[in-house]
RNA sequence: GGCCCCAUCGUUCAGCGGUUAGGACACCAGGUUUUCAUCCUGGGAACACGGGUUCGAUUCCCGUUGGGGUCACCA
């Protein structure tokens, strides 16, 4: 039996306040691969830009990861603590002849340290893209320490990956060209070269890569809009990868079991918000009723609405029709307050019609005769009314719905009426007639 | 522009020489004897183009076109 080294992957973002959706997808793939192989997933905060790497930015990053369930196996490494090691390595490269000093461009800014490429053609096998080659003439030497004495990304990145014993570097497509340089550095440093996997870009609805201008591309935005972390994780995992069969809504464990880098596609994928929304709805319907109820209560309380009697019955009615928690308040507020708004368009289209008010008057009469006011009784009464009067449901139900809820759509009307109760239902119908008739 | 990568329905993921080219989202129609949502049924919808290789190409090779990445003392 061959003893293989434990897989160690990492997510190495620079904390600049917002975590980009493409970056987070890379984090997800790193996490998934580590979990699939029984290895470890690490975090390295590349916070060398002290201007932008604020404590708040780091907090935002950590929160986004927690929200998505991306747990790490070791204390995060902060790159800013590693400057001395980076510089020491540069000296070592200088001493071994793998780097040289030069006043590049003769700008008079002083000498910087430049890494010397081996001058041979290079090739490596990318786990998702296959074999990639580069001619020696196409890769130039590059700066690793600036003339002001600070290490450049390439140096810091490679050294920290060595420090963290990373075995698989899984990152965005935009790093493929750098990989040739990085491999040369691993070799010059006498360090084992890790495996590389470059993920295709995620592009926006216009077919362009997400940029800072795409306001909807940050992880925090999805959280604010009420998406579930698990749903976003699931959706993102399926962008560029599939389990090989038709499964789409999957549990974490199912994704972990099925995940592999070699089955990742190498072409860019476009984010489809509608499918994400659909998937979120799948997750909403999958949670326990009591969890959904708790979610509803927090949404309502945030909106200043106090859920009254029968709130749980209302929530039960809502769970199967909710895709985003933000829909809850507008859809249920009328249950808990008499001050609900009327949908003006609905009123004009469905309520202000010939016979509507007469019809509503009759319904009041019928409701008054009912002793029980449960959903079934109400339903039967309404059906009898329609049939005996030779009416159409389409002429009766919409005005009634608007009268009690102000809206033209919602859950089944009978249970809605039952939850409101006889007194309130009748009172609301009366109030509506007074307000809009004549 | 040089170098590199990519190319299946509108979107996404399958397909890895022979298939009626499949699933999902979205869309359309019908149904679940009121709406919307859910759910069910059905439908339209794709192999960028041109050459090869082969008995046979969506699949392999080359080119074209299109898209993307990268060419910093940014990361």
């Amino acid at each position: 039996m061959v003893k293989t080294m434990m897989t160690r992957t990492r997510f190495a973002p620079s904390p600049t306040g917002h975590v980009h959706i493409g970056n987070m997808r890379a984090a997800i793939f790193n996490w998934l691969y580590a979990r699939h192989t029984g290895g470890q997933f690490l975090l390295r905060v590349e916070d060398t830009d002290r201007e932008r790497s604020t404590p708040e930015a780091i907090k935002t990053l950590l929160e986004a990861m927690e929200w998505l369930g991306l747990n790490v196996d070791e204390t995060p490494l902060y790159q800013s603590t590693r400057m001395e090691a980076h510089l020491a390595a540069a000296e070592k490269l200088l001493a071994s002849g793998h780097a040289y000093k030069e006043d590049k461009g003769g700008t008079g800014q002083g000498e910087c340290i430049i890494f010397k490429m081996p001058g041979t053609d290079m090739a490596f096998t990318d786990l998702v893209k296959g074999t990639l080659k580069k001619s020696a003439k196409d890769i130039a030497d590059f700066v690793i320490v600036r003339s002001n004495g600070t290490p450049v990304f390439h140096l810091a990145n490679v050294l920290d990956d060595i420090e963290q014993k990373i075995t698989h570097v899984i990152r965005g497509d935009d790093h493929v060209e750098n990989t040739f340089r990085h491999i040369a550095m691993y070799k010059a440093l006498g360090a084992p070269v890790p495996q590389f996997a470059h993920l295709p870009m995620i592009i926006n609805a216009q077919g362009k890569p997400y940029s800072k201008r795409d306001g909807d591309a940050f992880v925090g935005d999805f959280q604010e809009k009420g998406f579930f972390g698990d749903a976003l994780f699931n959706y993102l995992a399926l962008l560029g990868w599939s389990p090989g069969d038709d499964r789409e809504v999957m549990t974490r464990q199912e994704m972990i079991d099925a995940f592999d880098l070699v089955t990742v596609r190498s072409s860019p994928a476009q984010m489809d918000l509608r499918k994400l929304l659909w998937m979120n709805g799948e997750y909403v319907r999958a949670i326990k009723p009591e969890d959904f109820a708790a979610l509803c209560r927090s949404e309502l309380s945030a909106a200043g609405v106090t859920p009254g009697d029968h709130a749980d019955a209302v929530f039960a009615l809502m769970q199967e029709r909710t895709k985003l928690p933000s829909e809850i308040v507008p859809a249920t507020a009328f249950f808990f307050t008499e001050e609900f708004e009327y949908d003006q368009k609905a009123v004009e289209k469905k309520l202000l019609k010939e016979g509507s008010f007469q019809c509503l008057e009759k319904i009041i009469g019928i409701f008054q005769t009912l002793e029980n006011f449960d959903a079934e009784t109400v339903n039967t009464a309404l059906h009898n009314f329609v049939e005996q009067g030779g009416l159409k449901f389409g002429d009766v139900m919409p005005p009634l719905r608007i009268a009690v809820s102000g809206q033209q759509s919602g859950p089944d009307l009978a249970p809605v009426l039952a939850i409101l109760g006889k007194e309130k239902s009748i009172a609301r119908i009366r109030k509506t007639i007074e307000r809009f008739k004549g």
Side-chain angles (χ1 to χ4, degrees), chain A residues 86-91 100 102 111-115 142-152 155:
Chain A
H86 298 159
L87 262 16
E91 288 301 327
Y100 56 93
E102 185 184 301
E111 291 188 318
C112 50
I113 301 176
I114 296 175
F115 182 81
F142 56 98
V143 175
I144 53 176
V145 177
R146 300 184 188 88
S147 52
N148 68 5
T150 59
V152 167
L155 214 219

Side-chain angles (χ1 to χ4, degrees), chain A residues 153-154 157-158 171 178-186 196:
Chain A
F153 163 75
H154 302 292
N157 192 264
V158 167
R171 60 192 356 177
N178 289 335
T179 305
F180 296 99
R181 299 183 223 274
H182 294 178
I183 289 175
M185 290 179 75
Y186 280 101
F196 290 92

Side-chain angles (χ1 to χ4, degrees), chain A residues 44 77 79 82 86 156-164:
Chain A
R44 178 169 74 247
L77 176 65
Q79 191 161 70
R82 299 258 307 145
H86 298 159
N157 192 264
V158 167
L159 279 164
D160 289 348
D161 278 340
I162 293 170
E163 169 72 15
Q164 292 192 109

Side-chain angles (χ1 to χ4, degrees), chain A residues 59-78:
Chain A
K59 188 167 166 257
T60 302
L61 167 69
L62 264 18
E63 281 172 354
M65 289 180 71
E66 191 187 340
W67 179 61
L68 286 165
L70 298 173
N71 59 312
V72 299
D73 297 305
E74 280 180 12
T75 320
L77 176 65
Y78 287 82

Side-chain angles (χ1 to χ4, degrees), chain A residues 133-363:
Chain A
K133 298 174 188 165
K134 204 80 176 172
S135 299
K137 63 175 166 55
D138 292 321
I139 341 167
D141 295 351
F142 56 98
V143 175
I144 53 176
V145 177
R146 300 184 188 88
S147 52
N148 68 5
T150 59
V152 167
F153 163 75
H154 302 292
L155 214 219
N157 192 264
V158 167
L159 279 164
D160 289 348
D161 278 340
I162 293 170
E163 169 72 15
Q164 292 192 109
K165 298 184 173 60
I166 302 304
T167 60
H168 296 258
V169 174
I170 304 164
R171 60 192 356 177
D173 227 349
D174 50 335
H175 282 298
V176 283
E177 305 288 326
N178 289 335
T179 305
F180 296 99
R181 299 183 223 274
H182 294 178
I183 289 175
M185 290 179 75
Y186 280 101
K187 289 182 174 165
L189 259 3
V193 180
Q195 298 272 293
F196 290 92
H198 290 93
L199 275 17
M201 296 281 164
I202 295 180
I203 56 185
N204 64 20
Q206 284 69 27
K208 299 290 178 189
Y210 274 111
S211 68
K212 305 261 189 304
R213 305 179 58 126
D214 291 297
D216 56 353
F218 299 117
V219 177
D221 297 333
F222 291 97
Q223 187 174 11
E224 272 175 35
K225 286 176 188 165
F227 283 94
F228 285 9
D230 282 341
L232 184 62
F233 182 106
N234 194 161
Y235 177 76
L236 254 19
L238 256 27
L239 225 44
W241 174 78
S242 90
D245 50 40
D246 290 337
R247 287 177 295 165
E248 291 201 313
V249 178
M250 299 170 76
T251 63
R252 278 298 157 108
Q253 195 56 49
E254 285 170 337
M255 287 187 267
I256 289 170
D257 291 342
F259 190 78
D260 198 355
L261 287 171
V262 297
T263 55
V264 172
R265 279 174 63 91
S266 50
S267 52
Q270 191 174 95
M271 179 100 184
D272 183 354
L273 276 336
R274 290 173 304 187
K275 185 151 187 176
L276 205 213
L277 192 60
W278 163 80
M279 185 163 277
N280 205 66
E282 293 291 305
Y283 276 80
V284 169
R285 280 185 288 151
I287 63 176
K288 294 198 210 90
E290 53 265 40
D291 291 338
F292 182 72
L295 180 65
C296 290
R297 286 180 190 283
S298 83
E299 286 288 322
L300 287 165
S301 102
V305 178
T306 307
D309 296 342
H310 312 299
D312 286 332
V314 171
F315 301 150
L317 235 35
M318 287 303 297
Q319 185 167 3
E320 67 175 15
R321 48 190 305 114
T322 302
K323 283 184 175 165
L324 263 189
S326 58
E327 298 164 11
I328 292 167
V329 173
T332 64
F334 74 86
F335 278 107
F336 309 119
T337 172
E338 297 306 310
E339 308 305 314
F340 60 85
E341 304 272 324
Y342 286 87
D343 176 343
Q344 206 47 48
K345 272 178 123 178
V347 168
E348 283 166 24
K349 203 172 157 197
K350 302 284 187 184
L351 184 64
L352 302 177
K353 276 171 58 178
E354 185 70 33
S356 286
F357 296 108
Q358 195 182 1
C359 183
L360 289 175
E361 302 273 12
K362 285 181 185 166
I363 290 172

